[in-house]
Amino acid sequence: MLGNDIIDINETRLSTNWKRPRFLEKIFTTDELDIISNSLDPFTSVWRLWSMKESAYKVFIQTGGNPFFTPTKIECKLNSRINGEVKIDLLKLKTSTSINSNYIFSSAIMSDLDISNNIFKLPENRNKQHGEFIYQKIITDFSKSQNLNPEELKILKTKDGVPHIYFKNKGLENSLSITHHGNFGAYSILKN
Amino acid sequence: MSDKAQMISELKEIVKPYIQDEEAFENLHEDTNFITDLKINSANLIDVILDVEDKYDIELDNDSMDKMLSVKAALEVIKTKISEK
């Protein structure tokens, strides 16, 4: 099982004021608040930790965990610029984050799984169709890599919002996670 | 306006800056979900929670935050917190 989360840096600067009083305290544990206050680039630290939490939460939901909205219950630890660990309840996950001037992207996995992350720019001015654009991209890429007819592939979400690939109406085991924010989209898929 | 209608309209004012689905917002009702219907992103849901705290001078603890997913649930949380003041 795997989860991912992308943050469009420009979009986040426009839509969220992380310096708002009490904002960080609602989201982060005291250890995480220490990481942020000691950081040379608090903006990036805030949103890296946030994306780690979001990606880990997606795995938690895939394991059958009940939905909740208390970000402080998700605890992050940073091991390097890239690698981190997240704890939710009894679940312990490993995360990997890539950061550049456009986006922050994190993925979370339960153990040492081999996953492929695909990050791309979304077509402009088609906000409502971004979900559909990403589905089509996954189907195209997957049909090529697995040598399957794209017409016979589709993606459906469970009631908890977890996406799955179907071939000839049969759900495939390839664990999948999708994210989009602002101008960027990404999907992560377990390699066979 | 009844108390409930009044509170729904106050809540509508609060969520307005953060919604990404105009149609769901126009048709906002008790069962409207903040994330799946109004498409409020989760960082902005924190803003909604802070705005609610400011507006009603209450503090939403972890348990209350977990419930703040739909209009109906939010109204219940707010009413409970106000009555505890």
Side-chain angles (χ1 to χ4, degrees):
Chain A
M1 282 178 239
L2 66 136
N4 65 8
D5 188 58
I6 196 158
I7 290 168
D8 178 326
I9 288 175
N10 281 332
E11 176 77 19
T12 291
R13 284 194 200 280
L14 292 173
S15 68
T16 313
N17 173 17
W18 63 274
K19 291 183 178 167
R20 175 178 183 180
R22 316 199 309 287
F23 185 82
L24 296 180
E25 287 78 5
K26 286 276 185 223
I27 301 171
F28 298 110
T29 64
T30 39
D31 285 351
E32 292 158 0
L33 291 171
D34 280 346
I35 295 174
I36 295 163
S37 59
N38 292 324
S39 167
L40 295 174
D41 179 0
F43 173 90
T44 302
S45 298
V46 164
W47 296 109
R48 174 186 176 184
L49 289 164
W50 175 273
S51 71
M52 286 169 64
K53 286 183 189 233
E54 287 266 356
S55 61
Y57 179 77
K58 288 185 184 170
V59 180
F60 175 76
I61 294 297
Q62 286 170 29
T63 62
N66 285 324
F68 66 91
F69 186 68
T70 318
T72 51
K73 283 190 211 158
I74 308 173
E75 299 164 45
C76 300
K77 227 176 90 183
L78 306 184
N79 295 336
S80 71
R81 238 184 89 75
I82 297 165
N83 298 315
E85 286 167 49
V86 184
K87 208 171 127 260
I88 308 181
D89 248 6
L90 300 171
L91 200 61
K92 279 188 183 152
L93 303 164
K94 290 181 174 180
T95 62
S96 170
T97 304
S98 49
I99 301 171
N100 61 34
S101 57
N102 293 315
Y103 59 76
I104 297 171
F105 173 86
S106 291
S107 56
I109 48 174
M110 277 173 82
S111 46
D112 282 315
L113 302 171
D114 198 8
I115 67 168
S116 138
N117 293 317
N118 304 271
I119 303 166
F120 40 88
K121 210 167 180 290
L122 294 166
E124 274 165 41
N125 304 323
R126 286 169 58 196
N127 224 344
K128 286 212 161 154
Q129 292 139 32
H130 282 162
E132 195 47 44
F133 174 85
I134 298 172
Y135 279 16
Q136 275 312 319
K137 183 163 174 51
I138 296 170
I139 287 176
T140 308
D141 295 352
F142 192 76
S143 70
K144 281 181 194 155
S145 71
Q146 308 290 313
N147 218 356
L148 297 171
N149 178 1
E151 304 274 313
E152 288 173 318
L153 289 169
K154 65 180 170 192
I155 294 165
L156 296 172
K157 275 187 180 176
T158 64
K159 67 169 174 46
D160 298 319
V162 181
H164 285 284
I165 302 180
Y166 288 77
F167 177 64
K168 291 185 175 172
N169 296 318
K170 188 179 169 291
L172 301 180
E173 294 297 310
N174 307 67
S175 195
L176 176 70
S177 190
I178 300 175
T179 176
H180 64 94
H181 183 232
N183 290 324
F184 294 94
Y187 73 90
S188 306
I189 192 164
L190 201 59
K191 284 189 191 162
N192 283 345
Chain B
M1 216 183 330
S2 72
D3 276 3
K4 195 193 220 168
Q6 168 79 29
M7 273 179 79
I8 290 180
S9 97
E10 286 170 1
L11 201 56
K12 207 172 165 179
E13 254 336 281
I14 288 175
V15 299
K16 195 175 178 180
Y18 313 115
I19 58 115
Q20 291 186 55
D21 190 315
E22 288 289 342
E23 205 180 315
F25 178 71
E26 289 309 321
N27 300 320
L28 185 136
H29 51 87
E30 273 192 77
D31 292 320
T32 300
N33 184 293
F34 293 137
I35 296 171
T36 54
D37 297 321
L38 299 178
K39 310 274 190 291
I40 298 176
N41 76 42
S42 32
N44 284 147
L45 201 53
I46 300 284
D47 286 310
V48 170
I49 285 164
L50 294 173
D51 290 345
V52 164
E53 289 188 338
D54 290 342
K55 165 95 189 163
Y56 299 101
D57 189 24
I58 52 178
E59 195 194 328
L60 299 174
D61 50 26
N62 285 352
D63 285 347
S64 314
M65 272 173 74
D66 276 345
K67 292 182 193 136
M68 292 282 291
L69 293 171
S70 69
V71 170
K72 194 178 181 174
L75 293 181
E76 275 164 26
V77 167
I78 296 166
K79 261 194 254 169
T80 311
K81 287 288 163 192
I82 291 175
S83 72
E84 284 169 2
K85 277 212 282 187

